[in-house]
Amino acid sequence: MLFRSVLSPGVTSWAVTFDPVRSRLLVAQDERLFVWDPPWVDPPRVIALPFAYGTGIAAAPDGRRVALASQGNCCVVDIDAGSVMARTENVSGTTTRVAWSPDGKWIAVGVEPRSVRLLRADDLSEAARIPADSQRTLALGFDPTSRWLAFAGDMRRLHVCDVSNPSAQRNIALDYSVWGLAWHPDGQRIAIADRGSGVRIIDVPADGGPLRVRGSHAGHPAEVWCVDWSPTGDRLYS
């Protein structure tokens, strides 16, 4: 990894991602979306937002759109046009994290307290409101086939639900709260980052069988905030 530069010392948001097609760097903070084009050296383009965003961000698989989470709502921005395409109505509670399904059809949003909203990506209409035992959903993601949605948070339990039938859930108790998760490219394992300074690997049978812990690694010097698999799935980064 080559460290290039600090792009903007004034940007402090943790809502940061790349678009998967053109590798544009996207950062949401307050009422602004910053867009840096490769090679990420010129000043960013700034898109005005209708609300203060910055708790969650997820780029669409087509690379043209980005979903942003905020205090009680979610919006989708057309990156090229610089305009808001859709926005949810405000709901009570804090919107924590957002994820976009690989097939582009669904957006999942964690809402504090204790729920995950499954939204249709084209207009952000609500398809389901899924109860969550966590006060805050701090990690969520779709599997590579877009069939399963996994989510977890501060109540030490991982949930996996069927997107076509969200009431059909599998879950497994964990030793620690979860900060982040990542699906393996084969869609049958999830890596989770936890507050116990470790990484756990959870088996997720494709036939809907019970979740189980495959293995774990402890010994990080501090809490683990994020995990990610290499595209081939032979390496895990934390």
Side-chain angles (χ1 to χ4, degrees):
M1 177 181 291
L2 173 64
F3 181 77
R4 295 185 62 92
S5 64
V6 177
L7 292 177
S8 177
V11 176
T12 58
S13 173
W14 58 8
V16 180
T17 193
F18 286 93
D19 93 62
V21 177
R22 294 169 54 185
S23 298
R24 291 173 291 188
L25 176 61
L26 311 171
V27 179
Q29 179 173 303
D30 300 327
E31 292 89 8
R32 296 171 297 174
L33 175 67
F34 299 90
V35 182
W36 279 273
D37 291 299
W40 315 286
V41 293
D42 294 328
R45 181 161 53 96
V46 180
I47 299 173
L49 301 174
F51 204 77
Y53 292 89
T55 57
I57 189 169
D62 61 15
R64 297 185 300 106
R65 298 164 292 165
V66 62
L68 307 172
S70 179
Q71 299 294 320
N73 72 78
C74 173
C75 79
V76 171
V77 175
D78 184 313
I79 302 170
D80 294 324
S83 59
V84 175
M85 303 176 66
R87 180 184 174 190
T88 62
E89 296 293 330
N90 284 354
V91 297
S92 59
T94 300
T95 308
T96 54
R97 298 290 185 270
V98 61
W100 207 309
S101 65
D103 63 7
K105 295 180 180 179
W106 305 101
I107 292 173
V109 182
V111 180
E112 179 184 341
R114 302 182 187 279
S115 69
V116 172
R117 299 177 70 195
L118 183 64
L119 310 174
R120 300 175 182 88
D122 55 355
D123 61 1
L124 294 185
S125 59
E126 186 175 293
R129 189 167 298 195
I130 307 166
D133 54 9
S134 293
Q135 176 75 6
R136 297 177 299 163
T137 297
L138 299 172
L140 73 169
F142 293 89
D143 82 306
T145 69
S146 302
R147 178 184 177 186
W148 306 105
L149 171 64
F151 56 92
D154 55 12
M155 292 301 289
R156 304 183 180 188
R157 187 169 293 272
L158 173 70
H159 298 260
V160 177
C161 71
D162 190 330
V163 171
S164 64
N165 180 20
S167 62
Q169 280 195 32
R170 294 174 280 174
N171 64 78
I172 186 172
L174 304 169
D175 293 329
Y176 300 96
S177 300
V178 175
W179 284 120
L181 64 82
W183 285 87
H184 188 274
D186 68 10
Q188 297 186 43
R189 282 171 281 172
I190 296 173
I192 58 174
D194 68 33
R195 297 189 67 176
S197 304
V199 174
R200 323 292 163 186
I201 308 299
I202 309 297
D203 279 334
V204 186
D207 61 3
L211 309 179
R212 69 177 184 86
V213 177
R214 171 188 286 248
S216 62
H217 171 75
H220 284 274
E223 296 177 6
V224 182
W225 283 73
C226 59
V227 286
D228 201 9
W229 296 94
S230 65
T232 57
D234 60 343
R235 287 178 172 83
L236 178 66
Y237 304 91
S238 62

